Structures are given as C-alpha cells and as structure tokens.
Amino acid sequence: MFTIAKSWYDLLKDEFEKPYYKNLEKFLENEYNTKTIYPKPELVFNSINHIKLEDVKVVIIGQDPYHEPNQAHGLSFSVENGVQLPPSLVNIFKEIKQEYGFQNTNGNLKNWVKQGVLLLNSVLTVEKGHANSHKGMGWENLTQRIIDLLAQRKDPLVFILWGSSAQKIAGFVDPKHHLVLKSVHPSPLSAYGGFFGCNHFKKANQFLKEHGKTEIDWHT
C-alpha cells in the first residue's frame, strides 16, 4: 500500500508479514477509501525513505502527523513549504533561536534530514481533524522496531524525546551508550514546563562533536 525504500524494507520485511501489520493495512485501506487521511500514502514513510539507517545521527520522535490540510508530509514536526507554522514548531524554532540566535521561518525540516536527523512519528497516519485517531492501531509496533534497530547500533546516536508518547516508545534506549535527551512536549500546553531552555539542539551537537561527527546546522 505504501512505498518504502529497499534498505529499510529489507530490515523491516519480517514486520510486514506479522498479523498486526496485516490488520493495520486493512484498517488503513478502508480509512483512505472512506475518509480524509494524512499524510498522502506516498508520504507515509517519508521519514525513513530519505535517510539510511547507517546515516542517522539524531532521532527526533513525534506523536502522530499534523491533522489539518496541507501540513503533514511524513516528517515529525515538519510541514510542507509555505504552510503556516503549527504551534509546536513555532516553539521549536523559539528554542533554536534561544540557543543559536537565528530565527527559522521555513517549516519544512528536510534540511535536517539531509544531515542525518530522523524525524519519526510513533504513529504514521491520522484522520483529518482528529489527533491521535490512529493511535493503538499497530503503527507503534513498527516504529518501535525502527527505534530498536537504531538503538542496537554500535555507533552512538542522539535520541530527542519530547513528551510522554516519545519517551514511552523509546524508553528502552540505553542512555549509557546513546545520548537520550528528554523534556516535555513543545506544545503550547506544556512548553513552559521544561521545553524552553532545554538546550537539546546544542547538547546534541556537542555529543556529535565529541564523537567525531559533523554537527547539525539547525537552519531550515
């Protein structure tokens, strides 16, 4: 039903044969045929289709796609070019400005992906206007497997976990091997409870630098 890069398909093919995924496919086929679902089917695996496992340096885990028109395109927290910034992304850019001094205005985060940032939602689809509508339908099994593959890498990574959903699905990541950064979600409902001032972007780059990797340019 969806397009997935061969490098990731080979890693995940066993998952695609499991009952939970078969049930998920049937559910989504009906959803796409009868409702407005985001993102478009060809963009559902955008997060992994544009980055290989071995090229990932930083993982930022979101909850589920934006549920309003012309926003979701398969990358957590990112929106299509020219789209008004959602509140959570506004706050992410505020934190980057606090840390680095520059103001991002483009909400498409593909420049981060090109540098090795995996922008992965724990749930990869959503019904228009209904946040969390596909939670618990099976996506979490697959995305947790993706996180597991990343956590198994000998080469240490940065895992950025904003909010309880991200922290739950990646709670098994070994903080002694990888850098695991946690805070509340950047949503306006919680951002002032610990997201602002978290310095996650600078901490991520410091860790990459210490491990001989190129730092992320957080400009968009």
Side-chain angles (χ1 to χ4, degrees), residues 58 158 160 179 181 200-208 218:
V58 178
V158 180
I160 297 178
L179 177 62
L181 301 173
H200 282 179
F201 299 96
K202 278 194 170 182
K203 289 177 180 178
N205 273 342
Q206 181 61 33
F207 183 82
L208 294 176
W218 297 107

Side-chain angles (χ1 to χ4, degrees), residues 15-16 18-25 27-28 45 121-125 133-145 169:
E15 296 296 308
F16 299 139
K18 292 182 178 179
Y20 85 82
Y21 192 81
K22 296 293 186 183
N23 291 334
L24 176 62
E25 278 191 315
F27 166 76
L28 290 172
F45 284 114
N121 281 315
S122 57
V123 174
L124 302 187
T125 54
S133 51
H134 289 179
K135 181 180 179 181
M137 301 309 298
W139 277 127
E140 294 92 338
N141 299 59
L142 184 68
T143 52
Q144 193 153 26
R145 178 57 182 152
I169 200 167

Side-chain angles (χ1 to χ4, degrees), residues 28-40:
L28 290 172
E29 184 175 5
N30 181 67
E31 289 285 286
Y32 273 101
N33 286 334
T34 59
K35 302 173 184 177
T36 300
I37 304 299
Y38 301 129
K40 298 174 183 177

Side-chain angles (χ1 to χ4, degrees), residues 143-153 159 172-173:
T143 52
Q144 193 153 26
R145 178 57 182 152
I146 293 172
I147 296 166
D148 189 36
L149 289 168
L150 292 159
Q152 291 174 14
R153 272 185 41 181
F159 287 84
F172 61 89
V173 176

Side-chain angles (χ1 to χ4, degrees), residues 35-115:
K35 302 173 184 177
T36 300
I37 304 299
Y38 301 129
K40 298 174 183 177
E42 62 269 24
L43 300 178
V44 167
F45 284 114
N46 220 11
S47 57
I48 58 176
N49 279 344
H50 295 285
I51 188 169
K52 294 182 178 179
L53 176 73
E54 59 268 25
D55 294 333
V56 176
K57 296 190 290 188
V58 178
V59 184
I60 299 179
I61 301 173
Q63 186 170 277
D64 66 339
Y66 295 122
H67 55 269
E68 297 302 330
N70 304 315
Q71 292 183 324
H73 65 130
L75 306 177
S76 63
F77 297 104
S78 180
V79 293
E80 298 274 20
N81 291 327
V83 175
Q84 182 177 350
L85 303 181
S88 292
L89 189 54
V90 169
N91 287 339
I92 289 170
F93 286 173
K94 283 182 180 178
E95 175 60 24
I96 291 174
K97 184 177 182 180
Q98 186 274 325
E99 294 183 32
Y100 284 100
F102 60 82
Q103 179 65 59
N104 283 328
T105 57
N106 179 16
N108 192 325
L109 307 180
K110 63 182 180 181
N111 186 50
W112 296 1
V113 178
K114 291 177 181 177
Q115 299 177 76

